């Protein structure tokens, strides 16, 4: 709740307060989201990285590399979308 990952096209934050409380209490390394389709991006709550790649049907997905911590967190495009004129840029941390 109250991150760019739950910002609806109407301009209001519509994410789950229960999910936010869970993140604040347990502080996971990363939280993968996707219910709010237009909330595409990477944000942070405390030390937890939040990622919402947007809908897969538009060709984007989340990628993470975790070894001794979070090394890479990206929103990538499926191969079909990489040459698309409507392709959004890859977002990296």
């Amino acid at each position: 709740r109250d991150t760019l990952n739950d910002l609806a096209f109407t301009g209001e934050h519509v994410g789950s307060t229960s999910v936010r409380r869970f993140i604040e209490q347990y502080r996971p390394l990363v939280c993968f989201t996707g219910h709010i389709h237009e909330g595409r991006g990477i944000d942070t709550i405390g030390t937890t990285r939040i990622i919402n790649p947007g809908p897969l049907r538009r060709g984007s997905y989340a990628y993470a590399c975790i070894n001794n911590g979070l090394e890479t967190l990206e929103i990538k495009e499926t191969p079909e979308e990489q040459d698309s004129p409507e392709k959004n840029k890859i977002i990296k941390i």
Side-chain angles (χ1 to χ4, degrees):
R1 177 84 180 182
D2 298 321
T3 68
L4 71 90
N5 304 117
D6 75 325
L7 191 59
F9 68 89
T10 61
E12 62 184 310
H13 292 276
V14 294
S16 168
T17 55
S18 297
V19 171
R20 182 169 186 111
R21 279 195 307 268
F22 177 89
I23 291 168
E24 290 172 339
Q25 181 177 355
Y26 295 103
R27 297 174 291 189
L29 186 61
V30 65
C31 177
F32 296 86
T33 66
H35 186 75
I36 313 302
H37 295 175
E38 60 265 45
R40 184 177 194 267
I42 299 173
D43 208 341
T44 305
I45 297 175
T47 59
T48 300
R49 298 307 309 237
I50 315 297
I51 185 166
N52 179 348
L56 180 60
R57 66 181 160 80
R58 291 194 184 141
S60 58
Y61 62 95
Y63 171 82
C65 179
I66 301 171
N67 284 310
N68 293 328
L70 184 60
E71 292 183 7
T72 306
L73 186 62
E74 300 175 357
I75 294 175
K76 292 189 172 190
E77 306 296 325
T78 59
E80 301 81 40
E81 295 297 318
Q82 289 179 356
D83 297 324
S84 169
E86 298 176 4
K87 176 186 171 280
N88 292 315
K89 67 179 182 178
I90 293 176
I91 302 170
K92 298 182 179 182
I93 62 166

